[in-house]
């Protein structure tokens, strides 16, 4: 306040305010805000409109908030104040599902799978099948599951899927009508299970109203109350598959709020009403009895609210879909529990009424794991089947209020548990029977919503793991979640598979089957989670005892593990290896389980990992050999026309593998029948796809059967089904690609339909036909190829403007193939193809898609090969200055490849200027770091050769300017460019310019970025190479001392380029540097022997050779021998190689004395190092070894008698090289002496020593001759001990392979006395 006010001033101000307030508009009583009993809100502060204006004053009874509706725009007309939006957006918001350990977690296979590949987890591991060949083909049991039953089930599933599809189509177009008998017209009453999953009903929006849903005339309250809704009065919700409702209580679908469902029990209608009563068109939401979620799933009436039923699961324990909390048909968005629940993948009942593949522990294969129980939805253990399971993950996500409600419900459930039928039977005297509940009866439930159903134990046995309810007076005992004994760590997600190992039992008291099951479990756990030695032992054990353990118990445990969604790549690899090993042992016992194995292994054939695909092929191939063709065909035949496209796809690939394993001819009759199937187009489609996959898999091996394969599928080109025609064309493309360049005569019959097809098809069909023609044209003779190319080119040019990426790719491929064919003239390509080609394809859009980019470049290069370089380069050279960098890269790559192939002969001076100008611009403007521009620049400059001389000052000026740039990337590109053009500068005799560049690069050796420093060293190396040592500036004596400290740099690029440069100087100009400097470099080089990169180690050992040549071997050898004492094996091995290279460079006699003297050091590493050096030495010096063999024989003699295996192994390797080197030089006496020392190692079991021994024997066979070796062999070939015979026969077989003809003269006469073999000299002649 500016000045002190008097009492009168204040009074006057109050009066003024009061008068103002009187002048304000009077507020109606109803609009006032009540504060206690009276009060009003000030409109001056809160705004002029009424507080409740715009609000809905009542809630319509039939209106429901739709979960699909958009959220209202809350931001408008806010009556609260908040921070500015920009400020709030700056604060980093934590993501809802943020996982802080995501980067540490090992990715599972499921994490990287796309939606299509993830469908493998929905497949069901089928029950065992009948083996018709078992027990000599005796008559099988009546109840056995054979081919006929499986085909019947398949047909039933197909019909059911067809019916559902028709119903959905009818529902969509509104023609689905109610039938008079209370059933929807042609609708199946029971919800079906297709492919192991119940179809999810689409949520009905408020606007999905059909003519049947029009509001009816309102009834009186009495009529409304009297009407009992019954089954016959529901209409299908449009677009919603039937079968999603509660069986036996299908509610009316006409209202947003459901009527009370009625039971499908006899006498369900209320007497006197029957079909006449119709439910009210308008019901109040409060009139309804809240529905329970207990009876939503068959077999789950375990709640206390419903009448208990006796037929829980029809006598079969089934895991059903777990009901979500409060699973009423209509859900509001507010009903959802915040826990993220994975949908249950548990397979349902198959049409045959058989539970799919119960594992011995009562677990169902495709469970979705979460923490201890998969995803909080799927229960485990036989007791838990048919119930919902809350998991620790589920419970941890609850709010305290939810947890309290959960506890309260648990207590109520325990107190009010419904009595079972058995309990009632014992309580009541005989004569009582269970009455059916009255129609429409639904018990009243007070709780508004249920959180979960009763929890079950989280593992199959009675071991409560994780969360359990604590009772008063009890202290919870700690539960161990790890198995006892020498077993590896059990992951939480593995608990459902290995739960029985958590229970300690006396194994002697178990039945034989249970003992087997437990043993297999232990072995599998060791293989899956164990250490390498543990895994190796378990793998060997499970392989050896496969037949004893039995096929059933083994596969019933391995296969569910392979279906686990938490499986990692390494774990899958190990389990697949188990199956592979076990298959060899089980052989034909595997037949009943073929389909089970295929369900699990087939998805590997489409895995994105190449090695997984190879493993899958290997398993199926071995399976086919073990089970035989008949079993494979009868097992896989039902899947050929399966309704699921995924199953058909994987089956086709598996059949191709079977064909490659058992031979194409054996499958041809079957394929012929399948491809001509009249019953279903799916079978024809899959049969033709099999042939396509066979061609892709086997390549040119299909040539002997090409005509038969083409005849089998040729009718598919005129099939009535579009998909069959498309796959036929693709199969023909694969066959012609595999048979290139042969076999055009086999395709005679399909040429006409193909040509007709390209005129009648559009879209994907046309693309397939074009692809087939593209692969056929290169097989033709020149004149035919020319004719057909002209015919197909009209269609191709029309399709140039197609927007479809796939079509573009195929069109480009076909153009490339046509242009590469001999009969097509260059003039025709220039006139007819090029204008359209460049108009439609050379644009920015093509450069953005990587696959099209690659195909376009290849096609352009192929056209250039036909029409010449200048024709193509002239059209695109200006685009080197385009503003789009990706497009510039595409142009540069094309020009680079064209000039690399064709040179620069037809490029005129004008085009040459444009090229240099364009590549300089493109090089300077690049922002991304890749080699396209660099390689392009180098290739173009090298192709132009001497013609670049006028432009070199400009190019070098650009390089020098860019070497000074503050951006490291720019400097690196400039240095790399020097190494690309150094050779051209030499050709153009620009030594002075190169010398200047050398000085500049020398000044930049202090570069801080290792990538740039590596490039600078590379540029210096290129200049040194072309300019020579004498003219080099700076002089070598200044350059090398500057390089010595750089050798300490640990960056691989720097190391590699530096060691190359030092090696080049040591080779070409060692005299410029003092011996002391070279020794200093020697010590630095020892460190480089530890490098990870092989190229660095190779360059290092070569440099030792150059330095030894320059300053003499003795100092270098002393350094290297000293290095043999280090611990690191890699370092020692590289040192031995370096010693051998020094010996080769400076002659062995300078090195051998020192080396052999070093062998006297009584240290294992040193002695092994010396032997290894001798091994490499004799390998490198070859026939020079004849001068040194007698000197080293005593040393080898001593080593071959050493107790240490490695001594003998290395000696054998050295003797092999020595024997091969001295062949034909008359050293047989020394070799025979050494052979006598080598031969006792024949019975060694160490794999490395066995291999070294066999190598030494092979070397001796060459030098001493096969006959001498045969004499050593003969004594053991017929020895009474099998182990002796095995080894000797192995040696003999090797001899036989190597010298079969030479052995003829050495075979002895077999006399009556045992082991007495004689061969007289006369026998040699006769």
């Amino acid at each position: 306040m500016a000045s002190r006010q008097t009492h009168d001033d204040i009074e006057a101000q109050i009066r003024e305010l009061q008068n103002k307030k009187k002048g304000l508009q009077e507020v109606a009583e109803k609009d006032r805000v009540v504060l206690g009993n009276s009060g009003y809100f000030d409109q001056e502060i809160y705004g002029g409109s009424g507080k409740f204006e715009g609000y809905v004053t009542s809630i319509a009874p039939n209106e429901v908030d739709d979960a699909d509706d958009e959220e209202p725009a809350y931001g408008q007309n806010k009556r609260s104040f908040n921070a500015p939006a920009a400020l709030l957006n700056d604060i980093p918001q934590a993501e809802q599902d943020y996982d802080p350990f995501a980067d540490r977690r090992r990715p599972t296979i499921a994490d990287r799978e796309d939606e299509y590949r993830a469908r493998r987890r929905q497949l069901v591991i089928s029950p065992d099948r009948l083996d018709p060949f078992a027990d000599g083909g005796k008559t099988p049991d009546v109840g056995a599951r054979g081919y006929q039953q499986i085909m019947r089930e398949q047909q039933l599933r197909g019909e059911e899927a067809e019916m559902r599809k028709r119903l959905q189509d009818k529902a969509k177009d509104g023609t689905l009508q109610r039938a008079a008998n209370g059933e929807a017209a042609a609708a199946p009453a029971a919800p079906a299970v297709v492919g192991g999953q119940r179809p999810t009903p689409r949520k009905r929006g408020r606007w999905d109203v059909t003519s049947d849903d029009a509001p009816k005339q309102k009834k009186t309250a009495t009529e409304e109350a009297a009407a009992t809704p019954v089954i016959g009065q529901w209409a299908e919700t449009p677009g919603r598959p039937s079968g999603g409702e509660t069986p036996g209580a299908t509610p009316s679908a006409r209202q947003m709020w459901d009527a009370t469902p009625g039971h499908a029990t006899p006498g369900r209608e209320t007497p006197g009403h029957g079909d006449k009563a119709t439910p009210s068109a308008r019901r109040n939401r409060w009139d309804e009895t809240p529905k329970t979620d207990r009876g939503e799933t068959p077999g789950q009436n375990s709640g206390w609210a419903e009448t208990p039923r006796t037929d829980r699961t029809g006598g079969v324990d089934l895991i059903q879909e777990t009901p979500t909390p409060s699973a009423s048909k209509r859900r509001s968005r507010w009903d959802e529990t915040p826990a993220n629940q994975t949908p249950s993948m548990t397979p349902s009942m198959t049409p045959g009424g058989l539970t799919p593949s119960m594992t011995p522990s009562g677990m169902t294969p495709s469970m979705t794991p979460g923490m201890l129980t998969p995803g909080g939805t799927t229960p485990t253990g036989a007791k838990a089947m048919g119930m919902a399971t809350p998991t620790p993950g589920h419970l941890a996500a609850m709010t305290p209020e939810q947890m309290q409600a959960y506890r309260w419900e648990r207590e109520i459930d325990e107190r009010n548990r419904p009595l079972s039928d058995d309990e009632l039977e014992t309580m009541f005297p005989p004569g009582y029977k269970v009455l059916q509940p009255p129609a429409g009866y639904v018990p009243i439930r007070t709780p508004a919503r249920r959180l979960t159903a009763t929890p079950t134990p989280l593992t199959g046995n009675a071991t409560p793991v994780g969360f359990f309810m604590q009772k008063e007076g009890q202290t919870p005992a700690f539960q161990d979640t790890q198995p006892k004994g020498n077993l590896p760590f059990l992951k939480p997600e593995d608990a459902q598979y290995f739960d029985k190992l958590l229970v300690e039992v006396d194994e002697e008291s178990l039945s034989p089957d249970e003992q087997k099951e437990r043993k297999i479990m232990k072995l599998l756990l060791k293989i899956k989670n164990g250490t390498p030695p543990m895994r190796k032992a378990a793998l060997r054990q499970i392989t050896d005892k496969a037949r004893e353990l039995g096929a059933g118990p083994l596969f019933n445990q391995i296969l569910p593990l392979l279906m686990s969604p938490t499986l990692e790549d390494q774990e899958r690899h190990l389990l697949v290896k188990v199956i592979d090993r076990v298959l060899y042992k089980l052989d034909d016992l595997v037949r009943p389980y073929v389909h089970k194995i295929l369900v699990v292994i087939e998805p590997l054939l489409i895995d994105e990992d190449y090695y997984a695909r190879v493993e899958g092929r290997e398993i199926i191939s071995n399976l086919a050999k073990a089970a035989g063709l008949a079993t494979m065909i009868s097992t896989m035949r039902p899947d050929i026309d399966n309704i699921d496209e995924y199953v058909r796809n994987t089956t086709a690939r598996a059949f191709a593998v079977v064909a490659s394993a058992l031979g194409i001819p054996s499958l041809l009759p079957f394929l012929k029948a399948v491809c001509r199937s009249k019953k279903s187009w799916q079978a024809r489609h899959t049969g033709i796809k099999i042939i396509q996959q066979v061609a892709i898999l086997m390549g040119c091996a299909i040539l002997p059967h090409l005509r038969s394969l083409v005849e089998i599928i040729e009718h598919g080109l005129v099939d009535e089904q579009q998909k069959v025609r498309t796959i036929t064309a693709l199969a023909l493309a694969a066959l012609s690609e595999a048979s290139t360049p042969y076999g055009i005569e086999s395709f005679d019959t399909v040429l006409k339909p193909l040509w007709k097809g390209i005129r009648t098809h559009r879209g994907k069909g046309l693309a397939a036909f074009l692809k087939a023609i593209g692969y056929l044209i290169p097989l033709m003779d020149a004149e035919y190829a020319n004719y057909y190319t002209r015919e197909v080119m009209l269609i191709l040019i029309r399709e140039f403007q197609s927007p479809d990426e796939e079509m573009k790719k195929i069109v480009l491929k076909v153009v490339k193939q046509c242009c590469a064919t001999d009969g097509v003239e260059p003039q025709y390509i220039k006139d007819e193809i090029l204008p359209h080609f460049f108009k439609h394809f050379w644009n920015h859009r093509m450069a953005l898609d990587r696959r099209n980019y690659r195909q376009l470049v290849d096609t352009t290069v192929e056209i250039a090969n036909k029409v010449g370089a200048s024709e193509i380069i002239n059209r695109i050279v200006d685009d080197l200055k385009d503003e789009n960098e990706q497009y510039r890269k595409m142009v540069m790559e094309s020009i680079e490849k064209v000039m690399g192939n064709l040179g620069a002969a037809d490029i005129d001076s004008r085009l040459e200027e444009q090229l240099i100008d364009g590549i300089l611009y493109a090089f300077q403007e690049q922002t991304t770091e890749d080699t396209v521009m660099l390689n392009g620049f180098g290739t173009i400059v090298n192709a132009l050769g001497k013609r670049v001389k006028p432009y070199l000052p400009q190019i070098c000026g650009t390089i020098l300017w860019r070497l000074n740039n503050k951006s490291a990337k720019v400097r690196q590109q400039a240095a790399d460019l020097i190494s690309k053009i150094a050779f051209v500068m030499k050709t153009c005799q620009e030594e002075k310019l190169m010398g200047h560049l050398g000085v500049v690069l020398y000044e930049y050796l202090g570069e801080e970025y290792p990538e740039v420093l590596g490039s600078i060293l590379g540029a210096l190396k290129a200049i040194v190479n072309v300019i020579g040592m004498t003219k080099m500036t700076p002089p070598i004596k200044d350059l090398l001392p500057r390089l010595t400290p750089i050798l300490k740099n640990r960056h691989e690029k720097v190391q590699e380029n530096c060691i190359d440069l030092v090696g080049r100087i040591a080779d070409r100009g060692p005299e410029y540097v003092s011996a002391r400097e070279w020794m200093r470099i020697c010590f630095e080089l020892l460190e480089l022997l530890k490098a990870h990169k092989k190229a660095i180690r190779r360059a290092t050992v070569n440099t030792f050779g150059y330095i030894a040549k320059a300053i003499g071997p003795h100092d270098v050898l002393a350094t290297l021998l000293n290095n043999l004492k280090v611990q690191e094996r890699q370092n020692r091995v590289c040192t031995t190689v370096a010693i051998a290279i020094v010996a080769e460079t400076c002659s062995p006699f300078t090195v051998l004395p020192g080396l052999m003297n070093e062998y006297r050091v009584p240290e294992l590493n040193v002695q092994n190092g010396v032997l290894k050096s001798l091994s490499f030495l004799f390998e490198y010096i070859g026939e020079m070894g004849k001068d040194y063999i007698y000197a080293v024989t005593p040393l080898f003699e001593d080593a071959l008698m050493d107790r240490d295996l490695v001594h003998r192994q290395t000696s054998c390797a050295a003797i092999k090289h020595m024997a091969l080197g001295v062949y034909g030089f008359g050293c047989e006496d020394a070799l025979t002496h050494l052979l006598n020392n080598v031969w006792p190692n024949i019975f060694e079991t160490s794999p490395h020593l066995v291999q070294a021994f066999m190598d030494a024997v092979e070397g001796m066979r060459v030098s001493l001759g096969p006959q001498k070796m045969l004499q050593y062999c003969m004594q053991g070939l017929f020895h009474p001990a099998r182990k002796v015979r095995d080894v000797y026969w192995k040696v003999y077989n090797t001899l036989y392979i190597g010298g079969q003809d030479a052995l003829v003269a050495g075979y002895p006469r077999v006399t009556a006395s045992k082991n007495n073999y004689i061969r007289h000299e006369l026998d040699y002649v006769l």
Side-chain angles (χ1 to χ4, degrees), residues 548-737:
E548 181 189 319
L549 294 169
L554 276 168
F555 290 127
N556 283 339
Q557 290 199 49
I558 298 170
L559 299 180
L561 267 173
L562 271 164
M563 294 288 270
S564 165
T566 55
L567 208 61
E568 295 164 15
D569 281 303
Q570 169 70 358
E571 293 172 342
R572 179 174 68 180
H573 165 71
L574 293 167
L575 290 171
V576 166
K577 188 190 272 189
V578 174
I579 292 184
D580 201 17
R581 299 269 182 92
V582 161
L583 278 181
Y584 277 121
K585 290 285 182 181
L586 291 174
D587 203 36
D588 57 348
L589 293 180
V590 85
R591 283 184 186 139
Y593 309 95
V594 168
H595 193 262
K596 282 186 177 194
I597 298 168
L598 286 174
V599 166
V600 176
I601 299 297
E602 277 177 358
L604 291 180
L605 298 176
I606 56 169
D607 197 274
E608 59 192 28
D609 178 20
Y610 169 75
Y611 295 102
R613 296 200 298 274
V614 171
E615 278 180 340
R617 284 185 214 134
E618 183 88 5
I619 295 272
I620 292 173
S621 175
N622 292 336
L623 186 62
K625 289 168 187 167
L629 180 67
T631 305
M632 295 304 287
I633 288 178
S634 64
T635 305
M636 294 163 76
R637 166 64 190 90
D639 291 339
I640 279 181
D641 50 3
N642 194 294
I643 46 174
D644 186 358
E645 187 276 332
Y646 177 88
V647 175
R648 297 201 304 272
N649 179 17
T650 51
T651 303
R653 289 162 195 271
F655 255 119
V657 178
V658 172
S660 72
L662 303 179
I664 295 176
S666 58
L667 264 182
L668 279 178
F670 171 71
L671 288 177
K672 192 170 189 175
V674 170
C675 293
R676 295 187 182 279
S677 166
K678 290 190 170 60
K679 282 174 71 177
S680 76
W681 68 266
Q682 284 99 335
R684 296 197 298 277
H685 182 278
T686 312
I688 294 166
K689 188 163 195 164
I690 292 169
I691 287 173
Q692 179 206 19
Q693 293 301 323
V694 166
I696 292 168
L697 186 64
M698 298 185 67
C700 62
I702 61 156
L703 273 169
H705 322 287
L706 185 58
R707 191 180 290 278
S708 312
L709 292 170
V710 173
E711 282 170 3
I712 286 172
I713 63 171
E714 63 187 5
H715 66 277
L717 290 173
V718 291
D719 198 276
E720 72 269 9
Q721 269 289 338
Q722 170 65 47
K723 285 184 177 178
V724 176
R725 296 199 293 272
T726 305
I727 194 67
T728 307
L730 291 173
L732 287 169
L735 286 169
S736 45
E737 184 182 10

Side-chain angles (χ1 to χ4, degrees), residues 1154-1171:
L1155 192 57
M1156 291 172 69
N1157 188 53
E1158 198 70 18
Y1159 186 77
R1160 293 163 63 189
V1161 176
E1163 195 179 323
L1164 216 58
N1165 284 348
V1166 175
Q1167 290 185 342
N1168 283 330
V1170 169
L1171 290 169

Side-chain angles (χ1 to χ4, degrees), residues 1037 1040-1041 1069-1081 1107 1110-1111:
K1037 64 183 175 61
L1040 195 73
E1071 64 275 9
Y1072 296 104
V1073 184
S1074 68
R1076 181 167 300 190
E1077 186 64 36
W1078 283 125
M1079 276 313 296
R1080 193 178 296 124
I1081 286 173
I1107 294 173
I1111 65 170

Side-chain angles (χ1 to χ4, degrees), residues 1170-1186:
V1170 169
L1171 290 169
K1172 195 108 183 136
S1173 299
L1174 288 171
S1175 174
F1176 285 122
L1177 190 149
F1178 280 106
E1179 184 180 354
Y1180 294 161
I1181 64 173
E1183 60 187 41
M1184 283 166 66
K1186 69 181 187 300

